[in-house]
Amino acid sequence: APRASVEEVARLATLGRGPVLSDVAPAENDRLAAMLRAGAAEVLARPVRVEELAKKLTRAIRKHKRT
């Protein structure tokens, strides 16, 4: 959920269709924590690097399959 609000991440997470990933600006530590509390499986700092996205997406999917 790129550039999603904390509320949108929470809504998506409650649907339970799969892991929710989002992004934040590098210095937004409070927003990052809020995204995780809202149910984001992973939060990436912008600008998002493809390698980091692939790694976090793989990890989030693996964790989701175990639940």
Side-chain angles (χ1 to χ4, degrees):
R3 298 187 186 261
S5 67
V6 173
E7 293 79 16
E8 182 67 7
V9 167
R11 187 186 72 74
L12 291 169
T14 59
L15 293 176
R17 294 185 181 156
V20 178
L21 281 72
S22 195
D23 61 336
V24 297
E28 292 183 313
N29 293 331
D30 291 341
R31 182 171 164 78
L32 184 147
M35 291 284 193
L36 293 172
R37 284 192 304 272
E42 296 284 348
V43 181
L44 297 99
R46 288 189 297 262
V48 175
R49 293 186 344 255
V50 173
E51 303 83 25
E52 183 181 11
L53 175 60
K55 182 175 81 173
K56 291 194 176 222
L57 184 56
T58 300
R59 181 172 48 200
I61 291 170
R62 193 176 315 127
K63 285 171 57 177
H64 181 74
K65 285 182 178 180
R66 283 186 261 176
T67 59

